[in-house]
Amino acid sequence: MKLPEQVYQFGFGARKVAIVGGVHGDEKVGVLVVEKLRTYLEGKTLTGTAFLIIGNPRAVELNKRFVDEDLNRLFHFEFDTKNPQTLEQKRALELAPVLEQCHFGVDLHSTIKPSVPFVYTKAGGERMKLARCFDVEYIVTTGTPTLNCLDGFIDRNPVDGQAFTVETGWHKDLEKVDGIFASVVEILNTLEVLESGVPPGKRKKPQELTTYLRVIVDHPSFRFTQELANFQRLPAGTVIAKSDLKEFRLDRDSVVLFPKSLLEVGKPAVTLAE
Ligand SMILES: [Zn+2]
């Protein structure tokens, strides 16, 4: 198979893993980790196969989230795949044959606003064991994988892959690179793709959260009753939002995830976890 631009293969073993950075071009931590891994794996003997992938090379070059549209919303392939219209649609189609073969995948992202690092993953399989290789505050598990994201695509590929997203923290915080790199090497060791690597670092035990509800904007009048922050804890009974149709009262102690600042009817406003 001819590899797409900025996709690098190390090893030819049966167990295949994708390590992806730069799906969003302005999130440099993942890109730097992938580059560091390229140097590290050069000359090493692999028992499995590692694909190191720069998600959106053109956006990385431009230091922009994307060129035409968000690549991480296209892995449902609900666009005209015979006649892709945007640079990102073409890139998603190019990456699909590589991702389809992968048994495991890690997609490295960072956040525009300062945030604690966390892993976002579907529950089950070996994902939790692998997620714990990262020095993060939280592991957020969800029953439903995000259908349009790259990790969700690996999750439902023909080889029954398992993948998750790591949010490494604020995108300007480049000090994270060495720690994330060590975690990815540990994953390659754990998966027996790479025989020996750097010893695992000391890390804190992440708290595990499970999502239980996505609050959807039901009406143009929908408003949060207070400013919500990612990972904010709120007690049962708190009214977090109101619209002309109803109020949204927490039925249990909850942790707030991904509150949106731009609210659109029919789209999620916030995710709740416990
Ligand atoms: Zn991102």
Side-chain angles (χ1 to χ4, degrees):
M1 186 183 69
K2 188 179 171 289
L3 291 172
E5 181 192 0
Q6 297 200 21
V7 174
Y8 309 97
Q9 180 174 355
F10 290 86
F12 295 93
R15 223 164 166 29
K16 295 178 185 172
V17 55
I19 308 295
V20 189
V23 162
H24 294 135
D26 54 353
E27 299 173 2
K28 288 291 181 292
V29 174
V31 174
L32 293 171
V33 168
V34 166
E35 282 170 3
K36 207 171 153 84
L37 276 167
R38 270 182 74 193
T39 312
Y40 179 77
L41 292 180
E42 209 64 66
K44 294 254 185 324
T45 310
L46 276 78
T47 36
T49 302
F51 289 108
L52 307 185
I53 301 172
I54 301 294
N56 193 339
R58 204 64 62 232
V60 170
E61 233 171 68
L62 299 170
N63 196 27
K64 282 167 63 177
R65 188 172 174 84
F66 53 78
V67 178
D68 297 320
E69 62 179 321
D70 189 338
L71 176 62
N72 214 23
R73 300 289 176 271
L74 294 176
F75 287 94
H76 47 53
F77 295 97
E78 282 168 3
F79 53 85
D80 185 356
T81 53
K82 296 254 169 356
N83 187 20
Q85 294 298 311
T86 65
L87 182 136
E88 278 81 10
Q89 290 180 359
K90 289 178 193 138
R91 184 63 175 167
L93 286 168
E94 240 173 51
L95 292 180
V98 178
L99 302 174
E100 255 168 20
Q101 317 167 28
C102 290
H103 305 93
F104 296 93
V106 179
D107 190 14
L108 301 166
H109 285 257
S110 37
T111 45
I112 298 156
K113 287 194 212 160
S115 158
V116 295
F118 63 95
V119 168
Y120 191 67
T121 180
K122 203 176 116 176
E126 291 183 70
R127 295 177 191 83
M128 282 310 256
K129 187 173 85 183
L130 300 175
R132 287 196 198 98
C133 293
F134 288 92
D135 193 18
V136 291
E137 298 274 338
Y138 298 98
I139 295 175
V140 181
T141 59
T142 170
T144 46
T146 31
L147 286 177
N148 39 19
C149 297
L150 184 145
D151 62 339
F153 180 71
I154 295 179
D155 263 323
R156 47 179 211 282
N157 70 17
V159 298
D160 199 17
Q162 299 180 38
F164 54 84
T165 293
V166 184
E167 291 284 355
T168 63
W170 190 37
H171 69 133
K172 297 225 161 108
D173 196 357
L174 299 182
E175 282 167 19
K176 295 275 163 61
V177 172
D178 287 354
I180 302 288
F181 164 77
S183 299
V184 174
V185 172
E186 194 180 329
I187 283 187
L188 297 178
N189 293 159
T190 307
L191 291 173
E192 296 174 5
V193 165
L194 182 63
E195 265 171 2
S196 64
V198 288
K202 258 181 90 175
R203 53 187 59 115
K204 44 189 163 301
K205 191 174 178 331
Q207 293 179 56
E208 289 167 20
L209 303 172
T210 307
T211 61
Y212 71 87
L213 182 68
R214 285 216 288 178
V215 176
I216 307 292
V217 178
D218 63 338
H219 190 264
S221 61
F222 182 102
R223 289 291 170 272
F224 289 121
T225 53
Q226 55 175 296
E227 182 135 6
L228 297 176
N230 213 8
F231 295 106
Q232 184 178 353
R233 283 166 195 276
L234 292 170
T238 308
V239 176
I240 56 162
K242 280 181 184 169
S243 76
D244 290 351
L245 303 177
K246 64 179 278 196
E247 59 176 32
F248 296 81
R249 185 183 295 275
L250 299 178
D251 66 355
R252 62 193 94 174
D253 294 346
S254 302
V255 178
V256 168
L257 296 174
F258 325 129
K260 298 283 184 288
S261 42
L262 268 172
L263 299 172
E264 259 184 88
V265 174
K267 295 268 169 70
V270 63
T271 300
L272 298 171
E274 56 186 340

